[in-house]
Amino acid sequence: MLIVLLCQLLLFLCLLLTVGPGPSPVLFRYLWQSSFLWGYLISPIAGGTLVDYYGGKVVMGWGVALWSLATFLTPFAAETSLWALMAMRALLGIAEGVALPCMNNMIARWFPPTERARAVGIAMAGFQLGCAIGLTLSPILMSQGGIFGPFVIFGLSGFLWVLVWLSAISSSPDRSSQISKCELEYILKKKQQSFPVENKPKTTRIIPPFRRLLSKMPTWALIVANSMHSWGFFVILSWMPIYFNSIYHVDLKRAAWFSAVPWSVMAVMGYFGGMWSDTLIRSGMTITLTRKIMQSIGFMGPGIALIGLTTAKSPTIASAWLTLAVALKAFSHSGFLVNFQEIAPQYSGVLHGISNTAGTLAAIMGTVGAGFFVELVGSFQGFLLLTSALYFLSALFYIFFSTGEKVNYD
């Protein structure tokens, strides 16, 4: 991970030396597009380690509180200086870096293997609906309440969520005061039929076996899958409104709408993929084969759809291709995203953190690289074709090296 940080530092220094003094548009774009991801690069491993040790309730509560604070303070920071704005964006990334490791850890503790894909689908649906709502409401809130509007509303909503979370959630079912005895027995029985997952936070060895984790090819299958997932996700989230504006001359408010629709469809398809995945496992298909099927759909589908997007002649057809790409991408939630819990239930948080850090590096390369690619080549379609090729290669890597069986990391 130190190598990742050094590579990013060298890239940043090279940009500084290339553009020289002054607020270069290239440097500004790099700082703005990647400041969130720089923060997101830092926290997943530490957050995953903490959640494996302390449980998801406390770590997630602190994470949401911090990113709500960063959201609330963002417009105030923007009026202060560029560096204050970048600091708030980085703090937002640091706080959000604990979210997915917390989700994976808590799902591993709360759900038996035949229900986990649906649980992940529901959890990720909230994530995608949040993107859709944010992309749709932000221009409206800004037009009515100025730049402060969406940041203040979303920030205060996050603080309210924390209060509900801390009062209603437990890190594991055996520590919940709201679960019935019958449901607790059902969860424990189903989990014991597959492999045991430690339901209580660890009391010894807070430092995970990083060398052992990175010595296994199933770990690298997850790292590669998460990297490609993040690359595609942040490229679409960051650049599609600009793509529709520059290619089809759609105004940015309408372009945000075109970009928001796919996330709503992704939420629905993610749950459908999870339900189908769990059904296949209950019907006798191995977990390994099920995960490979879901991941193949989740990567090869978007790869084909992005090729179609480059041929679209109208914004409506382009939006249809983009919606198909994002919808099929949701099947990967029932592939690699559930797979952390299966190969390393006792280290699912930190393993997800490691892969998230690698994914964040890929996201930085993708979001910043898209801008440089377009400036150098003069074609955004070319970058979409490159992303499509990476989807196919990542799918093949996952097919060859992933497994649904528990891996011995001790």
Side-chain angles (χ1 to χ4, degrees), residues 46-354:
T49 302
L50 290 173
V51 74
D52 284 338
Y53 189 78
Y54 292 109
K57 178 178 180 177
V58 174
V59 178
M60 188 68 171
W62 275 106
V64 178
L66 285 176
W67 85 55
S68 299
L69 178 64
T71 301
F72 183 84
L73 293 178
T74 293
F76 301 96
E79 290 190 339
T80 303
S81 70
L82 172 63
W83 295 107
L85 175 60
M86 297 305 157
M88 285 301 102
R89 292 278 295 169
L91 178 60
L92 179 67
I94 290 171
E96 287 200 13
V98 306
L100 291 180
C102 283
M103 178 201 75
N104 242 319
N105 179 278
M106 293 188 70
I107 288 177
R109 293 178 175 184
W110 273 89
F111 292 89
T114 55
E115 298 178 11
R116 286 177 184 163
R118 276 178 294 170
V120 169
I122 293 172
M124 294 303 295
F127 186 58
Q128 287 118 30
L129 288 175
C131 293
I133 293 170
L135 285 167
T136 304
L137 289 184
S138 291
I140 299 173
L141 292 173
M142 284 186 178
S143 64
Q144 298 297 319
I147 193 173
F148 282 70
F151 295 98
V152 171
I153 291 174
F154 294 152
L156 293 177
S157 299
F159 287 123
L160 178 62
W161 184 92
V162 171
L163 296 177
V164 176
W165 172 264
L166 293 177
S167 63
I169 296 298
S170 298
S171 294
S172 57
D174 61 313
R175 303 179 67 184
S176 173
S177 60
Q178 303 180 43
I179 192 172
S180 67
K181 182 179 178 181
C182 179
E183 184 179 2
L184 177 60
E185 290 176 350
Y186 169 79
I187 293 172
L188 296 178
K189 179 180 178 181
K190 287 291 185 179
K191 287 161 69 174
Q192 288 171 358
Q193 290 175 354
S194 53
F195 44 73
V197 176
E198 188 176 357
N199 286 318
K200 296 181 180 179
K202 292 177 173 54
T203 56
T204 59
R205 196 180 188 186
I206 191 171
I207 300 177
F210 288 109
R211 182 176 296 182
R212 292 286 295 172
L213 289 171
L214 295 173
S215 68
K216 307 290 185 178
M217 288 309 296
T219 297
W220 287 100
L222 293 176
I223 289 174
V224 170
N226 203 345
S227 298
M228 189 61 233
H229 183 76
S230 297
W231 174 293
F233 177 85
F234 281 100
V235 164
I236 292 173
L237 184 65
S238 301
W239 285 101
M240 283 302 99
I242 300 173
Y243 178 79
F244 277 93
N245 176 257
S246 60
I247 301 297
Y248 303 107
H249 309 293
V250 177
D251 65 88
L252 286 177
K253 185 175 180 180
R254 189 163 168 244
W257 168 253
F258 274 115
S259 300
V261 170
W263 300 113
S264 302
V265 178
M266 188 180 189
V268 176
M269 292 302 293
Y271 178 75
F272 172 78
M275 184 174 60
W276 182 28
S277 174
D278 289 342
T279 300
L280 291 176
I281 294 173
R282 286 198 301 269
S283 67
M285 183 175 287
T286 64
I287 294 177
T288 298
L289 180 56
T290 302
R291 299 298 170 236
K292 291 182 178 183
I293 291 173
M294 295 296 120
Q295 194 60 46
S296 297
I297 298 173
F299 274 5
M300 292 185 178
I304 295 172
L306 288 180
I307 295 174
L309 176 61
T310 63
T311 66
K313 302 301 182 182
S314 71
T316 302
I317 296 176
S319 181
W321 278 114
L322 179 61
T323 300
L324 180 62
V326 174
L328 293 176
K329 182 181 174 66
F331 280 85
S332 65
H333 299 160
S334 300
F336 86 93
L337 200 54
V338 187
N339 205 199
F340 294 101
Q341 306 157 18
E342 293 159 344
I343 71 170
Q346 72 277 39
Y347 299 118
S348 60
V350 68
L351 186 58
H352 200 158
I354 293 171

